[in-house]
Amino acid sequence: MYAITGATGNTGRVIAEKLLAQGQKVRVIGRDAGRLGPLVQKGAEAFVVDVADAASLTKALIGAKAVYAMIPPNNAASDMRAYQERVSDSLVAATKNAGVEYAVTLSSIGADKPDKTGPVVGLHNLEQKLNGIASLKVLHLRAGYFMENLLPQVGVIQNSGMVGGPLRSDLSVAMIATRDIGAVAAEALSKLNFTGKQARELQGQRSLTYQEVASVIGKAIDLLSGPGGLAS
């Protein structure tokens, strides 16, 4: 049986759906029973759990051979780094106490660095904590920048023709769509052919600059809103 944390998120949902389509037994873990409903309708077992609660999460992982482990986003957290540490401690304790054999984690490019990477430090620490479980076989997926994170820029591009952000417009950035991350994670979980403690970087077809991003999204906006477009 597979346990998927963050099962209603962009990557977790893809993983759950792909494993269910293979006829696998899947336990989906999330904070909202309503959002888990569509996966339950497809055959999943739902556990409504706060992933920062190690005791409850342990119960959700009991019986699972493999877990997809991630730190769900929490924009309401007053201290993001403290939140990350609470969740990673809970994930590690639950994985160990439930006797899970395999884990695939959602990490990030830069998680090999112990500091000076902002919130990615929390993913570095998650990797190190899981690596400390001697019996656990773990694959850390170090993904590039999520393309979906660019969606809030649509309004900025539409109104001003530019992308707002802290990076130079000509700096190439490794990006990847979350559905592709989910597909890789689902395949790894399905095969369970990794051993020891491994890390794998995930990037899209090529890196993109913000100039290119603005151009691509701008053309898509024109296509959707122009005469005969989907939004017309």
Side-chain angles (χ1 to χ4, degrees), residues 75-91:
N75 294 329
S78 58
D79 186 334
M80 181 56 65
R81 285 289 299 110
Y83 164 76
Q84 287 180 308
E85 295 307 314
R86 287 197 305 273
V87 174
S88 61
D89 284 344
S90 175
L91 284 167

Side-chain angles (χ1 to χ4, degrees), residues 17-26:
E17 289 177 344
K18 287 185 176 295
L19 291 175
L20 287 168
Q22 297 171 12
Q24 302 288 356
K25 185 176 180 182
V26 177

